[in-house]
C-alpha cells in the first residue's frame, strides 16, 4: 500500500501546487514530516534576494532555524502559520495531516508586503554596490497588499484542504483494494458471490462495483477468475503431476471445461500444456549429470 508520504508527493498534488505558485509567482517548498526539504515547485529557484541574504550576508543558519521553529508552531496549531521572516519577507507554512498522521509540510514564501528592506539586512552589506543590489532584488519580489495577502492565504488553505481530502480518498481506496484482494486470497476457492463479500467488508455492492470499474477497469467476476487461475498455477507448482481436472477443482472451478477455456484465453496456451511446460522446467537437466 502507498504511504501518506508517497501520496503527499504524488504528481497530481505537485502539479496542483505548481500551478497555484506559478499564477501568484510564489515559491513553494515541500518538506518531509521530519523537516527535510524534498523539492521546490516547478522552475522555482531561490529568489535573488534570498540567495543574497543567505549566501552573501550569511543568514542561512537563521533561515533554517526559523523554518524549524515555524514548522513546530504549525504542527502545534494544526494549521497555517503566516509570519514575517528575519529578512523581511512574508511566508506561510502548513502541515499536512493524513489520517491524523503528519505527512509533511508545504511552505510558500519569498514575497513582500512592503517597500522597505529591513535595516538589519542593509546594515550587514559591506559596500554600496551590494546594498544597491540587495534593494533591487527586494523590489523585484512580488508584492501583496493586506487584502491580496488574505485572499492568497485563504486560497492556500483551500488547496491544503483539497489535498487532504484527495489523499484520504486515495488511501481509503487503496485500503479497499487491499481488503478485496485479501478476501479473494482467502476465499477464492469457495462458492463466493459479490453480495457476500460486500457484506463481509462492510460495503455496498454498488460501492465495490463502481470502485473496481472506475479505478481498475475490472469487475469482481474478473478478479475472482484471475485469482482462481493463479491458484491453479500455484497448485501445479506444488503438484506437478496433477491432472487438469484436479487443478481446476483445487482452484475453485466446478467445470473443468470452463476452466480450460478460460485458462487458454487468458494465458494463451491450454492448461495441460502449461502444466507440462512447468513440469519440464522444474526437472533437472539430465545433460548436467
Amino acid at each position: 500500500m502507498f504511504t501518506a508520504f508517497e501520496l503527499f508527493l504524488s504528481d497530481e498534488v505537485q502539479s496542483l501546487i505548481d500551478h497555484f505558485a506559478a499564477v501568484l509567482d510564489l515559491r513553494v517548498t515541500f518538506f518531509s514530516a521530519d523537516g527535510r526539504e524534498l523539492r521546490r515547485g516547478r522552475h522555482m529557484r531561490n529568489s535573488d534576494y534570498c540567495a543574497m541574504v543567505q549566501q552573501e550576508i550569511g543568514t542561512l543558519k537563521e533561515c533554517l532555524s526559523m523554518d524549524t521553529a515555524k514548522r513546530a508552531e504549525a504542527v502545534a496549531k494544526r494549521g497555517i502559520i503566516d509570519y514575517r521572516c528575519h529578512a523581511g519577507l512574508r511566508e506561510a507554512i502548513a502541515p499536512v495531516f493524513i489520517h491524523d498522521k503528519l505527512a509533511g509540510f508545504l511552505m510558500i514564501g519569498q514575497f513582500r508586503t512592503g517597500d522597505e528592506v529591513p535595516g538589519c539586512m542593509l546594515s550587514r552589506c559591506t559596500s554600496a554596490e551590494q546594498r544597491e543590489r540587495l534593494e533591487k532584488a527586494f523590489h523585484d519580489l512580488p508584492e501583496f497588499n493586506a487584502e491580496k495577502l488574505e485572499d492568497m492565504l485563504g486560497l492556500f488553505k483551500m488547496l491544503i484542504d483539497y489535498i487532504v481530502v484527495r489523499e484520504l480518498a486515495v488511501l481509503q481506496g487503496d485500503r479497499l483494494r487491499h481488503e478485496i484482494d485479501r478476501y479473494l486470497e482467502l476465499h477464492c476457492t469457495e462458492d463466493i458471490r459479490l453480495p457476500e463479500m460486500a457484506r463481509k467488508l462492510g460495503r455496498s455492492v454498488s460501492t465495490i462495483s463502481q470502485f473496481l470499474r472506475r479505478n481498475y477497469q475490472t469487475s469482481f467476476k474478473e478478479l475472482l477468475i484471475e485469482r482462481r487461475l493463479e491458484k491453479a498455477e500455484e497448485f501445479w507448482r506444488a503438484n506437478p503431476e496433477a491432472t487438469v481436472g484436479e487443478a481446476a477443482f483445487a482452484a475453485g472451478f466446478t467445470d473443468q471445461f470452463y476452466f480450460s477455456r478460460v485458462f487458454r484465453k487468458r494465458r494463451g496456451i491450454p492448461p495441460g500444456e502449461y502444466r507440462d511446460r512447468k513440469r519440464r522446467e522444474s526437472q533437472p537437466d539430465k545433460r548436467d549429470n
Side-chain angles (χ1 to χ4, degrees), residues 60-120:
L60 178 59
K61 229 178 239 189
E62 294 173 50
C63 289
L64 296 177
S65 177
M66 177 168 279
D67 287 348
T68 299
K70 293 302 179 181
R71 283 195 297 271
E73 187 178 339
V75 169
K77 182 182 177 182
R78 295 185 72 88
I80 296 174
I81 297 294
D82 163 41
Y83 59 95
R84 188 184 303 277
C85 78
H86 69 285
L89 302 184
R90 293 299 287 266
E91 298 178 331
I93 190 163
V96 178
F97 288 92
I98 300 176
H99 278 308
D100 209 34
K101 179 180 179 181
L102 182 63
F105 299 89
L106 283 179
M107 182 178 184
I108 58 174
Q110 301 193 18
F111 61 93
R112 59 190 176 90
T113 55
D115 291 325
E116 297 294 326
V117 182
C120 61

Side-chain angles (χ1 to χ4, degrees), residues 38-281:
L38 301 174
R39 69 181 287 275
R40 287 186 178 273
R42 180 185 59 189
H43 309 310
M44 292 178 184
R45 63 180 181 82
N46 218 10
S47 69
D48 291 340
Y49 180 75
C50 286
M52 282 192 68
V53 166
Q54 293 174 356
Q55 297 166 21
E56 293 187 35
I57 296 179
T59 67
L60 178 59
K61 229 178 239 189
E62 294 173 50
C63 289
L64 296 177
S65 177
M66 177 168 279
D67 287 348
T68 299
K70 293 302 179 181
R71 283 195 297 271
E73 187 178 339
V75 169
K77 182 182 177 182
R78 295 185 72 88
I80 296 174
I81 297 294
D82 163 41
Y83 59 95
R84 188 184 303 277
C85 78
H86 69 285
L89 302 184
R90 293 299 287 266
E91 298 178 331
I93 190 163
V96 178
F97 288 92
I98 300 176
H99 278 308
D100 209 34
K101 179 180 179 181
L102 182 63
F105 299 89
L106 283 179
M107 182 178 184
I108 58 174
Q110 301 193 18
F111 61 93
R112 59 190 176 90
T113 55
D115 291 325
E116 297 294 326
V117 182
C120 61
M121 293 294 107
L122 293 174
S123 65
R124 299 193 191 188
C125 293
T126 57
S127 67
E129 182 271 337
Q130 187 182 51
R131 180 188 179 106
E132 184 179 338
R133 283 193 295 112
L134 188 67
E135 289 180 325
K136 181 182 183 305
F138 181 83
H139 289 107
D140 283 344
L141 291 168
E143 181 179 9
F144 293 84
N145 58 32
E147 183 178 355
K148 189 174 181 180
L149 175 62
E150 184 177 349
D151 289 339
M152 184 271 291
L153 291 174
L155 181 57
F156 186 48
K157 182 180 185 305
M158 290 176 64
L159 286 172
I160 297 297
D161 291 344
Y162 170 80
I163 289 170
V164 171
V165 169
R166 178 213 174 263
E167 303 301 62
L168 282 173
V170 173
L171 283 170
Q172 289 167 354
D174 189 60
R175 181 176 292 106
L176 177 55
R177 180 56 195 263
H178 176 75
E179 291 173 353
I180 292 171
D181 289 343
R182 179 62 176 163
Y183 185 87
L184 291 178
E185 168 65 23
L186 295 174
H187 303 286
C188 69
T189 60
E190 304 168 13
D191 182 23
I192 59 174
R193 299 287 187 274
L194 175 56
E196 177 187 359
M197 185 183 75
R199 182 170 51 81
K200 293 287 187 180
L201 299 184
R203 312 289 180 122
S204 69
V205 169
S206 61
T207 294
I208 292 178
S209 296
Q210 291 174 17
F211 169 77
L212 292 175
R213 184 170 61 252
R214 184 183 304 116
N215 296 287
Y216 299 97
Q217 294 74 53
T218 190
S219 66
F220 168 77
K221 180 180 178 181
E222 293 298 307
L223 284 178
L224 178 57
I225 290 174
E226 182 60 30
R227 190 66 194 94
R228 283 175 171 172
L229 291 179
E230 292 171 357
K231 280 289 185 182
E233 292 168 340
E234 293 170 7
F235 180 79
W236 266 321
R237 284 195 291 273
N239 306 275
E241 303 300 326
T243 66
V244 171
E246 289 171 336
F249 295 130
F253 290 93
T254 57
D255 186 331
Q256 174 183 336
F257 299 103
Y258 174 70
F259 165 72
S260 296
R261 187 167 66 251
V262 170
F263 192 100
R264 181 168 190 162
K265 180 180 179 181
R266 296 204 177 198
R267 298 300 191 259
I269 59 174
E273 183 178 335
Y274 173 89
R275 174 203 58 197
D276 294 341
R277 183 181 299 177
K278 292 299 179 181
R279 185 166 51 197
R280 289 194 298 271
E281 291 174 358

